[in-house]
């Protein structure tokens, strides 16, 4: 398998798919496309996917775009990795919060771009960013309360893959999660 990504330092969507593959212990290679840097990068990407976005997973004849769809494919192909929790209710909740991340929290994504190694000197979270962070913290607290941790749904799951870039952003921008979430922050 091959995972086509931009930088794993900056591309939060790429990191999500990479985490699922890595956690499942799948043999895969990473192909970097130098987005916005390499000449013809968009044409390279368009030759792989009409969606013109990364990540893209190539598995033989199969091409899968969309980070969550890639995570789903890996979870289905490798059930032993336990990438979704046991139990229909827990799975439904894990899928719901994963979809919420995939389709929302636009202000956090725009105002706090992922930079794994970066450390911002001064950061002010505007109202909408704060509101989104509060929602994220609440949903983490609720999931951890039900599961008992250490990860959102007990064992490491796709939901943790989806939220890992948020944890990275908290560190980069010096935003503290509530005290009760510290064990989760540490575990991640
Ligand atoms: N919903 C997509 C989002 C993918 C996405 O926006 N990827 C960015 C890089 S992090 C991208 O490819 N941007 C290229 C562009 O917009 O031209 C997913 O979950 O995979």
């Amino acid at each position: 398998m091959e995972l086509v990504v931009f930088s794993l330092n900056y591309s939060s969507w790429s990191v999500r798919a990479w985490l699922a593959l890595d956690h499942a212990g799948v043999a895969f290679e990473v192909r970097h496309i130098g987005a916005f840097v390499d000449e013809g990068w968009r044409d390279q990407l368009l030759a792989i996917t009409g969606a013109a976005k990364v990540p893209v997973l190539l598995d033989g004849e199969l091409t899968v775009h969309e980070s969550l769809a890639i995570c789903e494919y890996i979870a289905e192909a490798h059930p032993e990795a336990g990438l979704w929790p046991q139990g229909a209710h827990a799975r439904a909740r894990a899928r719901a919060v994963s979809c919420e991340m995939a389709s929302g929290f636009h202000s956090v994504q725009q105002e706090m771009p992922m930079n794994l190694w970066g450390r911002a000197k001064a950061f002010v979270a505007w109202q909408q960013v704060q509101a989104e962070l509060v929602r994220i913290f609440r949903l983490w607290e609720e999931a951890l309360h039900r599961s008992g941790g250490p990860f959102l749904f007990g064992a490491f799951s796709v939901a943790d893959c989806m939220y890992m870039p948020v944890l990275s952003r908290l560190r980069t921008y010096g935003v503290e999660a509530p005290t009760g979430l510290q064990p989760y922050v540490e575990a991640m």
Side-chain angles (χ1 to χ4, degrees), residues 84-100 135 139 142-143 146-147 152-153 159 163:
W84 287 118
Q86 297 284 319
H89 287 198
R91 265 199 308 281
R93 287 193 197 98
R95 286 199 164 102
V97 297
S98 298
C99 290
E100 193 174 344
R135 168 60 193 151
L139 77 82
E142 192 187 322
R146 280 181 193 278
S147 72
L152 292 178
F153 292 87
Y163 282 95

Side-chain angles (χ1 to χ4, degrees), residues 8-47:
L8 288 170
N9 187 59
Y10 298 112
S11 172
S12 62
W13 301 108
S14 301
V15 163
R16 292 173 168 109
W18 184 92
L19 277 171
L21 284 154
D22 185 68
H23 179 75
V26 176
F28 71 104
E29 309 241 311
V30 173
R31 190 197 306 180
H32 287 96
I33 289 188
F36 311 106
V37 179
D38 289 358
E39 204 173 315
W41 67 269
R42 190 171 284 283
D43 289 338
Q44 282 179 50
L45 195 50
L46 275 169

Side-chain angles (χ1 to χ4, degrees), residues 3 38 43 101 111 119 121 144 161 169 174 177 186:
L3 185 68
D38 289 358
D43 289 338
M101 180 69 248
E111 303 293 326
R119 297 293 178 270
K121 290 214 167 60
L144 290 162
C161 298
R169 288 168 159 115
E186 290 300 318

Side-chain angles (χ1 to χ4, degrees), residues 133-151:
L133 288 174
V134 165
R135 168 60 193 151
I136 291 171
F137 293 152
R138 292 248 165 87
L139 77 82
W140 287 355
E141 281 162 356
E142 192 187 322
L144 290 162
H145 178 71
R146 280 181 193 278
S147 72
F151 298 102

